[in-house]
Amino acid sequence: MTEPHQQRISDDDRHRTAEFLRKAAGEGRIDLDELDERLEAAYAAKVYADLVPLVADLPGAEPAVPPGMVVAPRPGTAAQVPVDAPTYSTSIAVMSGADRKGVWLVPPSHTSFTLMGGVNVDLREAVFTTPEVVINANAVMGGIDVIVNAWTRVTVEGIGIMGAFEEGRAKVEPELGPSSPHVRVRGIALMGAVTVVRKPMPGEKRKRLRRAE
């Protein structure tokens, strides 16, 4: 089955994206030179993945993506999502390490397992293909770190047995909104640890958290 981002687009999709870009220009979000460049790219687009970078830095980008595909906003810069961005459904480390980071497509469910090893699942630059993603994280005498950005909603539902399954202290203030994707982390940490932590985007300086009143 073709992945959502690789589905062919129609003329209606191109026109809808073009109107969305014209509206953004009218609101002052992009200048006329940017509008011309993005319109040219929109009308030359073949698949949804070609449209995503054109709108990912604009609020309400849903008109340009296939049904069910969520593009988290990236404040300040346009997201660059290559057509050949990899999709990972698993992260496994047995007495070793595994990293998932950078720009990658997250399926509806991702399974992470480690035995006496370490796994890093970095979702900060990832593109979600569904509004909600389930991370099945199971650690046995090892550790799994799930990293999210400021505008991703998180629910931690796992169990620690002689270990810890928890959301760690945030390194950046949450910036949640109606279009925020939802990451639900489930599983078991047996004599190990599964930790979910909110961090700034790669390359960004750490933002000061507001003090609790």
Side-chain angles (χ1 to χ4, degrees), residues 124-152:
R124 289 175 293 174
E125 297 180 283
V127 176
F128 297 166
T129 57
T130 53
E132 180 176 288
V133 168
V134 175
I135 306 294
N136 296 299
N138 297 288
V140 180
M141 294 184 288
I144 297 175
D145 290 330
V146 179
I147 304 172
V148 300
N149 54 35
W151 50 90
T152 298

Side-chain angles (χ1 to χ4, degrees), residues 2-167:
T2 304
E3 294 288 339
H5 71 289
Q6 293 285 13
Q7 293 176 6
R8 303 283 293 195
I9 60 175
S10 66
D11 285 338
D12 285 343
D13 293 318
R14 297 183 183 91
H15 295 322
R16 187 162 53 249
T17 301
E19 288 303 314
F20 176 77
L21 291 170
R22 292 189 182 98
K23 180 180 178 182
E27 295 172 347
R29 300 184 189 279
I30 56 177
D31 61 33
L32 294 180
D33 289 338
E34 286 179 296
L35 176 62
D36 288 341
E37 292 175 2
R38 296 191 189 201
L39 286 176
E40 182 178 355
Y43 283 115
K46 302 297 183 182
V47 297
Y48 282 108
D50 296 331
L51 297 177
V52 171
L54 306 179
V55 301
D57 60 335
L58 299 172
E62 288 79 9
V65 298
M69 186 173 178
V70 175
V71 180
R74 286 162 168 76
T77 59
Q80 299 299 317
V81 183
V83 173
D84 59 350
T87 300
Y88 300 117
S89 59
T90 61
S91 304
I92 299 174
V94 178
M95 292 186 288
S96 62
D99 281 323
R100 302 298 184 211
K101 61 184 179 179
V103 178
W104 58 290
L105 294 163
V106 185
S109 178
H110 179 91
T111 297
S112 180
F113 173 79
T114 183
L115 171 63
M116 300 175 64
V119 175
N120 182 51
V121 181
D122 192 337
L123 301 171
R124 289 175 293 174
E125 297 180 283
V127 176
F128 297 166
T129 57
T130 53
E132 180 176 288
V133 168
V134 175
I135 306 294
N136 296 299
N138 297 288
V140 180
M141 294 184 288
I144 297 175
D145 290 330
V146 179
I147 304 172
V148 300
N149 54 35
W151 50 90
T152 298
R153 198 177 306 277
V154 174
T155 302
V156 178
E157 301 176 335
I159 300 172
I161 302 175
M162 292 185 289
F165 202 118
E166 61 188 2
E167 182 173 355

